[in-house]
Amino acid sequence: MQEKIMVFMRQEAYKPLAPEDLAEEMGLKARELAEFWRVLAELEAAALIIKTRFGKYGVPERMNLIIGMLTVSEKGFGFVISEKPDEADVYIPAEGLLNAMHGDKVVARLNSKGPVVGKAREGEIIRIVSRANLRIVGMFEANRRFGFVVADDARIKQDIFVPKGEAGGAKSGDKVVAEITKWPEKRRNAEGRVVEVLGHKGEPGLEILSIIKSNNLPTAFPDEVEQAAADVRAVITAEDLEGRRDLRDLTIVTIDGEDAKDLDDAVHIERLPNGRYKLGVHIADVSNYVRENTVLDNEARERGTSVYLVDRVLPMLPQRLSNGICSLNPGEDRLTLSAEMEIDYRGDVLNYEIFSSVIRVHTRLSYNIVRQILADDDEALKQTYQPLLPHLADMERLCHILRERRLRRGAIDFDFPEVKVKLDDSGRPLEIVRRVRSIAESIIEEFMLVANETVAEHMHRLEVPFVFRVHEEPEEEKMIKLNTLLQNFGQGLGKTDDVQPMTLQKILGRIAGRPEERIISTVMLRSLKQARYEAHNIGHFGLAAPYYTHFTSPIRRYPDLIVHRILRETFRSGDVSAKRRQKLAAMLPEIALHSSQRERAAAEAERKTVDLKKVEYMAGFVGDEFSGTISGVTAFGLFVELENGVEGLAHVSSLDDDYYHYAEDRYALIGGRSGKVYRLGDEIKVLLLKANPEERTMDFAPVGTGVRPKPGPRATGNKKMDKPMNTKPKPKPKTRKRR
């Protein structure tokens, strides 16, 4: 009925209709009317159809309306991101936000009048469909008659009013979780009650806990989920092996980080007599243990992904599964789904098979071991792993072949070093290190990419409902801005209305090794859209791949688990039943959307916890000088990235040797009298003025401006921690003996 109504209103109803007229025009029978009224109400509640003030129904796209999620800037304005992937965002000025809050699902009306920001459409919010912020994490402040909560998230502008008696024992200075009881109205703030006191300002671990709560991340599994995991057999039985191909005699290895405990992918390689490569990618068959609509499945679906915070992991599945029977531990029989591919010297997959299997990992290798063998030619390790050397050599050769194939078709290959903060046992930061991708990481990356592409193309050709990993083409407006930046460095896109990934990849190749490489790469990445999950395939722009999915990490990502589940259903006949097809078509779009949302929340939490520890680390070096690169230029100052990956702001007020104006087209601040230029990508020496862990910010001033840190006690941080990478130890000052 829902599809019937929507198809009619989009194709036949060219004007809004009263519900009685709509039912009559659709020719509905009497027995269909009860369902019609129910579905109509559901469609209106979801804003798929809109009810006018005159009681008539229409579809948003014909009423100049956009449905989507509101994202609010810290400056007060916002954008509505449409639910339709091919629809541009809508700029909402602060006065047009109605009473909506960051993250809410809203209906926005497009305005033909008013100022335009760049080429963005402008609108105003006319209805709030659903609220996102049911609970707010923030600082509680109280007086005699009431209290209020100031949200940690700067995008939530209004304080939450807490009536007397609803403070839950919180005191001023406590970090709390407040549950909204009344939503904001025209001149009234939202009201709430304190449901959890997280701790008092300054307590160890409080900020990490606040980030976890702010992103709605679960810290423990419900009892029934733990019990369901405990009920799973910890050994493989003869029944489990039925219908599976036995690969236990193959030399299969895992290559992961040394501290990884959830090993969900393993590989093996053979050189065929015809000179081609046979690559096997074997992935833990989590779908055998997590069946659809069980408590384990419902919990995994809700979580969407494992979350890797700076100091802990919040797994998608209980450890009994993720680190136990599902993990491809060496020397133990494990159930897997395998993709075996025959690949030629150009990297083309000529033949493949995807099937259920059982494997026994021969050896567990780490990235460090593989790097030391292949890149460093470590003789001791080569002796230890002598039987595996031919396999590793073949893996290295095939890795280069696959990478060259991707680059030939135009895949954009960003190579940002990973920044990791090492902590002590109490969670204090000891050191910031950069991890550069080596041949070991590249081998696994290329093998997983080709397996994901192979599975995606296979399912696309079967035309079975599926979950794809998609990445849309970039917006022209952002390409115009990127092109302006590139021209400052003697580069250019040519045309900006139809940029191909090959164009971007060629630019990255030309600037490789130059001082501007990091800046251009960063801005280019920010100019692209975010990849996401979709129930229909539109290709992957960044990979220049017509088909792509996530098949290789079902322990850590729910979409991969869904991919496995659907794959297994097709093994016998190459299809699924009509009833199953209909069910999948209905449920997969919601799963894809929810998984994308949880992925973004996890990524935001991960970034925030790393940023927090970076700032905590740097708090011990207030007053020290550092070398850095200008990573961003705005009207209010310069963002500077230090050599250890830490970024902070040099506010324009710290540039006290002149009055500076912002030249947007040049990505620069220019002194009005002196003509001095601070340009994006320039190297700069800065002084650390302040490190604020609560706000995860750092303030810099260019060396030589005369601005100094405010006097006061200096944070010492961890006494054992090393200096930042580019800082030389200062000589100890001479002291006089006291007489």
Side-chain angles (χ1 to χ4, degrees), residues 26-52:
M26 290 177 63
L28 296 180
K29 305 280 194 298
R31 65 177 181 273
E32 296 176 302
L33 289 178
E35 185 183 7
F36 168 78
W37 286 103
R38 177 181 60 79
V39 171
L40 200 68
E42 291 174 356
L43 290 172
E44 184 195 358
L48 294 172
I49 62 175
I50 302 295
K51 186 177 182 180
T52 72

Side-chain angles (χ1 to χ4, degrees), residues 267-272 275-279 343 374 387-402 439 443 447:
V267 296
H268 87 277
I269 194 167
E270 296 176 26
R271 197 70 182 269
L272 300 175
R276 297 169 184 164
Y277 295 90
K278 182 179 181 181
L279 172 66
I343 303 172
L374 295 179
L388 295 178
L389 295 186
H391 299 277
L392 291 175
D394 284 339
M395 288 182 187
E396 183 177 17
R397 283 191 289 267
L398 182 57
C399 169
H400 291 312
I401 289 171
L402 291 172
I439 183 61
I443 286 171
F447 290 2

Side-chain angles (χ1 to χ4, degrees), residues 606-649:
E606 290 167 13
R607 176 184 57 78
K608 284 180 177 178
T609 59
V610 172
D611 288 348
L612 170 67
K613 293 302 176 181
K614 285 181 182 177
V615 178
E616 286 183 3
Y617 176 78
M618 295 300 294
F621 305 108
V622 171
D624 287 357
E625 296 179 6
F626 303 95
S627 296
T629 303
I630 297 176
S631 57
V633 182
T634 69
F636 55 84
L638 309 168
F639 286 96
V640 178
E641 183 178 316
L642 306 185
E643 292 177 4
N644 61 359
V646 169
E647 188 177 62
L649 174 68

Side-chain angles (χ1 to χ4, degrees), residues 423-437:
L423 309 177
D424 66 13
D425 293 339
S426 61
R428 293 181 299 177
L430 290 170
E431 186 183 6
I432 298 175
V433 295
R434 283 187 178 234
R435 294 173 56 186
V436 180
R437 184 174 58 176

